[in-house]
Amino acid sequence: MSQQGERHSGASGQEDDWWGQLYDDSAHDTGPAEAADTLDDRFASAVSASAGEDEGGGASGDAVADAVPPGARSGEGTLPRSPEPAPPREPPAPPSAPPPAPPPARTPGAAPWEPPAAPTGPVTFPPGPRPPNPEPEAPPSRTTAVPAPRPPDVSAVAPSGPAREAAAVSAPAVDAVAYVGDGPPTYDAEPTVLPVADPDDLGDLVADTVLDGARYGNSTLRAVSVRGDSARYRGEPRRDSLLTARFGTGESALVLVAMATGARATPGAHRAAAEACAWIGRAVGRSHQRLSEDIRAARRGDLKSGLHRLTDRSLGKLRAHAADLGIEPEEYAASLRCLLLPADPECRTRVFFGVGGGGLFRLRDGAWQDIEPQVSESASDAGPPVVGFGSVPPETPDGDRLTMDMGIITPPSPYEPAPEPPPREPFRFRASVARPGDALVLCSGGLAEPLRGEPELAAHLTQRWAKSGPPGLATFLADVQVRVKGYADDRTAAAVWEA
């Protein structure tokens, strides 16, 4: 019977038997466990169990079976006693580490902080073999070192035999240079000082460099205007002005290249050059249809007279503007040089016209030709009076002189006309037929003078332009900017290559 007065039999009696054994007064107290149960013992037991699992599944199963009390395996209803702990097993020894590498050998007399003479490898791997010719190592630096680019394999890149000769032929003849002649020029090669600007007239500013180009039919055009080294150093504006324009469409179109240079050492010279280009451009644009027809029909006489008239009209407006400004016409003058190119691919006639100094050159068959139209001196200089043409004879037929020169200056008579202005520049005109491979160059005095005075510049441009074809815009600018000592004026040039 249970303590609550219930009677049990069979399986229920067996279930109550363990209760009596545990709480009956006749049961002895078990007391402290006989086996050691400290934290160190528990850790040693856990290490031993994990080591047994690593050695094999059987060891792990035996350890678990040993830890189960016999009563629990047999199904007896007694409280299991604390089993005898297995003696702690020694943890497996870690794999043997290789002996530490000897300290790196140092150069005798070297400081402790200096790098060793030979590089050392990782601790677990021996250092690899050194290259046959190692380069000396650089001293340690606090900055991050960027590895140098690996040089290309010459044997894999450089051709040999016929391929090498073909590559040498296709390579450019000569590289671009900064200057030619005896030595470098005095001025800097790049712009230094900007011109002074007027805040109320910013449209009067002139860019340091102007670059343009086009291609029509069989011709390729390159045009550039660069401020000279002297003007760059002194902060003066570019006196040269450049205008490139196309009038019309299709094969009847006409391309005009106009360049003008203002008078030296005069204020407003750049304005006079710009106005000259604008007025001749307006005049040619309004008459471009008639001019294009005359060029294609080879009417040379009509072209010369018509272009002469347009040029005089444009420069006459420039002189009238000088009078409006209250300055002398010579102080507000400009030289004007123009080139007309028809867009018709069947027409290879190139027409030059203008007034003033400069140059017109043609590069044909690897040689320069100066084709600037020559004007006779009698057309521009009348000279002194000639006997028999209005002058008084110095003496009579008998040999008596009519007057005696006493060296007294005679005052001008009020009835005599005012002195005539200085003679104007003669008009220049040339119409030429281009051949395939020609290069026609029209330039201002800033480039024409060094081309005539420095043979090395002409030879350099010959090598650059003779067989390589029309260059790109940047390359053409670099070629025109090749400097020559003693020539520091503005340079303006237009070149036409024939396909």
Side-chain angles (χ1 to χ4, degrees):
M1 178 180 293
S2 65
Q3 295 180 0
Q4 286 79 11
E6 298 177 354
R7 186 180 302 273
H8 299 283
S9 62
S12 299
Q14 296 179 0
E15 293 177 359
D16 295 338
D17 189 23
W18 67 273
W19 180 276
Q21 294 179 4
L22 181 61
Y23 293 101
D24 193 6
D25 296 338
S26 60
H28 298 283
D29 188 8
T30 57
E34 299 178 0
D37 194 18
T38 63
L39 181 61
D40 294 339
D41 296 335
R42 290 176 178 268
F43 177 77
S45 176
V47 171
S48 176
S50 62
E53 293 178 359
D54 294 342
E55 292 177 1
S60 177
D62 295 344
V64 173
D66 294 341
V68 177
R73 291 195 300 267
S74 59
E76 297 178 358
T78 60
L79 183 68
R81 298 183 61 185
S82 299
E84 292 291 337
R89 299 181 182 180
E90 295 294 335
S96 59
R106 297 183 178 274
T107 306
W113 56 81
E114 294 184 359
T120 58
V123 177
T124 56
F125 300 95
R130 292 177 58 83
N133 294 324
E135 297 182 358
E137 296 183 357
S141 175
R142 295 184 179 181
T143 59
T144 304
V146 179
R150 182 178 180 182
D153 189 0
V154 179
S155 60
V157 176
S160 60
R164 187 172 187 176
E165 296 177 359
V169 173
S170 60
V174 63
D175 295 334
V177 297
Y179 65 89
V180 295
D182 299 335
T186 306
Y187 298 104
D188 294 336
E190 300 298 332
T192 306
V193 183
L194 290 173
V196 179
D198 183 2
D200 297 328
D201 191 12
L202 295 179
D204 189 52
L205 294 177
V206 181
D208 179 88
T209 303
V210 176
L211 187 63
D212 204 353
R215 183 175 60 187
Y216 290 98
N218 298 323
S219 60
T220 302
L221 172 66
R222 297 287 181 264
V224 65
S225 182
V226 185
R227 188 164 57 137
D229 294 342
S230 177
R232 285 176 170 178
Y233 178 78
R234 293 180 170 85
E236 299 175 354
R238 176 168 47 89
R239 293 186 297 115
D240 283 5
S241 181
L242 176 66
L243 172 66
T244 55
R246 174 180 63 93
F247 303 106
T249 58
E251 296 183 355
S252 61
L254 188 65
V255 178
L256 168 68
V257 180
M259 57 185 68
T261 303
R264 188 185 300 273
T266 57
H270 61 288
R271 301 189 195 98
E275 290 181 7
C277 289
W279 279 323
I280 193 62
R282 187 178 296 111
V284 171
R286 292 173 178 174
S287 307
H288 75 277
Q289 294 181 355
R290 176 66 182 275
L291 293 173
S292 180
E293 293 175 1
D294 291 343
I295 293 176
R296 287 184 291 178
R299 291 192 284 263
R300 186 178 183 276
D302 295 343
L303 279 172
K304 183 176 182 180
S305 60
L307 293 175
H308 193 177
R309 184 172 58 257
L310 296 179
T311 304
D312 287 346
R313 188 179 303 171
S314 300
L315 296 181
K317 292 181 178 180
L318 193 64
R319 290 188 293 268
H321 192 200
D324 296 339
L325 297 176
I327 58 179
E328 296 295 332
E330 295 79 11
E331 298 179 1
Y332 203 75
S335 63
L336 181 62
R337 306 175 67 81
C338 305
L339 189 64
L340 293 178
L341 307 173
D344 188 358
E346 301 297 330
C347 181
R348 291 184 177 269
T349 303
R350 311 294 179 241
V351 178
F352 158 75
F353 67 96
V355 173
L360 181 64
F361 305 92
R362 180 170 57 199
L363 183 59
R364 175 175 290 177
D365 299 331
W368 284 103
Q369 301 174 0
D370 191 345
I371 58 176
E372 176 77 10
Q374 300 297 325
V375 180
S376 61
E377 296 181 359
S378 60
S380 59
D381 188 7
V386 180
V387 177
F389 291 87
S391 62
V392 180
E395 58 184 18
T396 63
D398 297 336
D400 297 333
R401 297 185 63 88
L402 298 178
T403 58
M404 181 179 294
D405 187 5
M406 302 298 294
I408 301 175
I409 301 176
T410 305
S413 173
Y415 301 102
E416 293 182 358
E420 296 182 358
R424 300 176 184 175
E425 290 285 344
F427 177 75
R428 301 173 187 267
F429 174 87
R430 186 183 186 94
S432 60
V433 179
R435 298 179 184 176
D438 286 355
L440 184 66
V441 179
L442 173 67
C443 57
S444 62
L447 182 60
E449 293 177 2
L451 269 177
R452 295 188 178 110
E454 182 56 57
E456 291 188 16
L457 178 61
H460 174 74
L461 295 181
T462 301
Q463 295 176 349
R464 296 283 292 175
W465 295 348
K467 297 181 179 180
S468 60
L473 292 179
T475 305
F476 182 70
L477 172 61
D479 293 340
V480 173
Q481 284 191 122
V482 174
R483 307 163 69 214
V484 182
K485 190 173 184 179
Y487 301 94
D489 288 340
D490 300 344
R491 291 185 180 183
T492 303
V496 181
W497 278 267
E498 303 295 336

